[in-house]
Amino acid sequence: MTTDPTRRPPLPFREFLVKVHSRCNLACRYCYVYESADRGWRAQPVTMTPETAEVVCRRVAEHARRHALRAVRVILHGGEPLLAGGAFLAGLARALRAALPDSTRADLVVQTNGTLIDEPLLRLCRDEDIRVGVSLDGPRAVHDRHRRDPRGRGSHARVAHALGLLARPEHRSLWAGLLTTVDPTTDPLATYEHLLSYGPPSVTLILPLGNWTTPPPGRVPDAAATPYADWLIPVFDRWYRSGGAPRVPLFESAIDLLLGGESGTEVLGAAPSRLAVVDTDGSLTLSDHLKTTFDGADRTGLDVRSDSFDTLLAHPGIRARQSGPAGLCAECRACPLVAVCGGGHYPHRYREGSGGTGHGNPSVYCPDLTRLIGHMAGTVRTDLAARGSPVGPTAGRRAEGGS
C-alpha cells in the first residue's frame, strides 16, 4: 500500500466559500483581497448572478451526494456579502437546501464586517437559518485604526450596534461569533476584554496574512522576536483560567493537538484542507488567502458551470494542501513541534523564488508559533499534573521543551 500522499484518493470538500459580492463598503488597510499582490478582483462581476448561484448549489449537492456527506458548510463571503442584498442570500439558501439530498444538512454562515446588519436582515437570517459571523478587531481606537470606510471614517460604532442586535434573545442563536485580526502593537488583554464585553459565542483570532516575501506587520527576521506570541500568550492564560469560554478555535485546536486529537483550524496541524472557493463569476479557485502571495496564485482555470468539485479536487494546488506532514519542508518534518504546528498556515509559508510551489518553507510565524505552543503545552501539562490526570501526549512533552 502506497504512502505517497500525491497518489492517495483526495478527501471531499466539506466547506464551500462562495463569493457572492466582490466589492466592499470598507477599505481595511490589511485586506488580503484588495490590498495584496493579487489584482483579480478588478475583473470580477460585482455580484454573483442568481443563475451562477443556482449552478453552485447544484454542484455542492452533486458533491454531497457523490461522497455521502452528512453536512456541508457554505460560507457566504465577499468583499462584503451583505451588499448582495437579503433577497439574493435568501434565494441562495433556499436553492441550496432544495438541491441537497435529504441526508445532507446545510450549515450556512455569512461572514460580514457588520456595518449593514439591521433588524430586517436578522429576521431574514432567522427565517432562512443563516448564521452570522462578524469582524471586530477590538475597542474603537484599535478597530478604527484599520477598518475604515473609503472616506476614512471608522466603522466601530456601526459594528457595535450590530453586535447589540445579535445579542438580543431573539437573534442570539444566529450569532456564529467574532473574527479578530491580531495587532501586536495593541494591549492584548484590553482588546480581549472588549471582545468579551459583547458576549460572543466564539472568538476566532487570526494572524495577519503575510509571508516571507511580504512579512506581516512586526514580524522581522530575528528568531528571538515573537510579537504575536507575546500578544497571544496573556490572552490564552486569561482564556484558560476562565475554563475555556468562549470558544477560541486557535487555543482549542492547539490543546486538542497536544493531547493527540485533531485541529479545527487550518492555522495549526497538518490536516488536509477540505475547503473549496467559488468566485462571483463562477470560477473555482484555491484558498483566497493565497491572494497574498502573488497575482493569480489562487486561480485554477476551472469554472463551476463546466467543472465539478471533484475536478477541483484533482488540481495540484488542492493535492498539495491535502498532503499532510509529507508535504512539509524537511526542516518542518524534523521539528518536534510538527504534530501541533503542522507547518503553520499554508499561505504563511510562501517565499518568492524558493522553488517548487514557493510554499516549501516553515511558516513566517515560526518563532511565534514555537513560543506559543511551548507555553500552552507547559500550561496544560502543569494543569493535568495538578489534577492527577495522566499527562500522556509525547507531543506535549516535546512542545514544552521547545519553549
Side-chain angles (χ1 to χ4, degrees):
M1 180 177 178
T2 181
T3 58
D4 182 354
T6 64
R7 301 182 64 182
R8 295 173 185 161
L11 296 172
F13 297 115
R14 295 186 300 200
E15 291 189 314
F16 302 85
L17 190 147
V18 182
K19 300 274 189 175
V20 297
H21 201 282
S22 66
R23 303 297 190 269
C24 191
N25 60 334
L26 294 184
C28 303
R29 294 177 181 174
Y30 55 62
C31 181
Y32 67 88
V33 176
Y34 309 111
E35 302 294 333
S36 64
D38 187 84
R39 312 314 293 164
W41 62 271
R42 296 177 183 272
Q44 284 296 318
V46 172
T47 304
M48 179 177 281
T49 66
E51 294 75 20
T52 300
E54 185 177 351
V55 176
V56 172
C57 294
R58 291 205 308 267
R59 288 295 193 186
V60 172
E62 172 188 66
H63 197 70
R65 190 172 291 107
R66 180 171 296 169
H67 297 282
L69 300 178
R70 292 189 293 178
V72 294
R73 187 169 188 256
V74 176
I75 306 160
L76 306 177
H77 210 273
E80 171 47 51
L82 296 187
L83 289 171
F88 178 89
L89 301 181
L92 189 153
R94 293 168 190 166
L96 176 66
R97 292 193 168 104
L100 284 171
D102 293 340
S103 57
T104 304
R105 183 183 77 254
D107 298 325
L108 275 84
V109 180
V110 58
Q111 182 61 46
T112 170
N113 61 36
T115 59
L116 301 177
I117 290 176
D118 56 18
E119 280 283 356
L121 184 279
L122 292 179
R123 287 196 296 271
L124 179 146
C125 288
R126 188 170 65 244
D127 291 342
E128 303 300 335
D129 193 15
I130 302 173
R131 300 178 71 217
V132 182
V134 179
S135 298
L136 177 70
D137 287 347
R140 182 189 298 267
V142 173
H143 181 89
D144 287 349
R145 181 184 303 176
H146 301 292
R147 300 185 66 81
R148 297 174 173 268
D149 68 17
R151 296 174 62 182
R153 298 173 300 186
S155 59
H156 184 274
R158 286 173 285 170
V159 179
H161 175 72
L163 296 179
L165 296 178
L166 275 166
R168 292 179 179 175
E170 64 269 29
H171 302 316
R172 176 76 188 184
S173 63
L174 298 175
W175 194 4
L178 292 176
L179 186 149
T180 301
T181 300
V182 173
D183 181 345
T185 68
T186 63
D187 183 323
L189 291 179
T191 299
Y192 185 61
E193 294 295 344
H194 183 80
L195 301 176
L196 295 184
S197 71
Y198 296 97
S202 69
V203 177
T204 298
L205 299 172
I206 60 173
L207 297 172
L209 281 165
N211 52 68
W212 292 100
T213 301
T214 308
R219 184 59 264 162
V220 297
D222 181 3
T226 56
Y228 289 90
D230 296 345
W231 194 97
L232 287 165
I233 284 172
V235 176
F236 170 78
D237 289 343
R238 164 70 173 80
W239 173 83
Y240 195 84
R241 288 194 303 269
S242 74
R247 299 194 61 193
V248 179
L250 176 64
F251 299 155
E252 291 178 340
S253 293
I255 292 174
D256 286 344
L257 289 163
L258 285 164
L259 299 177
E262 297 180 352
S263 176
T265 172
E266 288 191 352
V267 177
L268 293 176
S273 174
R274 309 287 292 274
L275 173 72
V277 181
V278 187
D279 232 323
T280 52
D281 65 352
S283 298
L284 298 177
T285 70
L286 307 175
S287 169
D288 58 343
H289 289 175
L290 293 174
K291 294 178 185 295
T292 57
T293 57
F294 59 89
D295 190 23
D298 64 329
R299 295 171 213 164
T300 66
L302 304 177
D303 188 282
V304 73
R305 298 170 192 82
S306 56
D307 301 296
S308 69
F309 284 110
D310 273 55
T311 303
L312 180 61
L313 277 179
H315 189 277
I318 297 294
R319 300 306 295 265
R321 299 191 69 190
Q322 290 205 355
S323 59
L328 300 177
C329 67
E331 182 179 347
C332 286
R333 291 198 304 272
C335 178
L337 303 186
V338 68
V340 181
C341 172
H345 195 24
Y346 190 78
H348 294 164
R349 306 175 202 164
Y350 178 76
R351 188 194 299 269
E352 184 179 14
S354 59
T357 63
H359 294 87
N361 309 284
S363 168
V364 71
Y365 287 105
C366 184
D368 295 283
L369 293 174
T370 298
R371 181 162 182 258
L372 176 64
I373 293 169
H375 176 83
M376 290 190 286
T379 300
V380 171
R381 284 179 56 79
T382 299
D383 187 29
L384 290 176
R387 295 167 185 245
S389 301
V391 175
T394 301
R397 290 197 293 272
R398 289 178 176 173
E400 186 179 10
S403 64

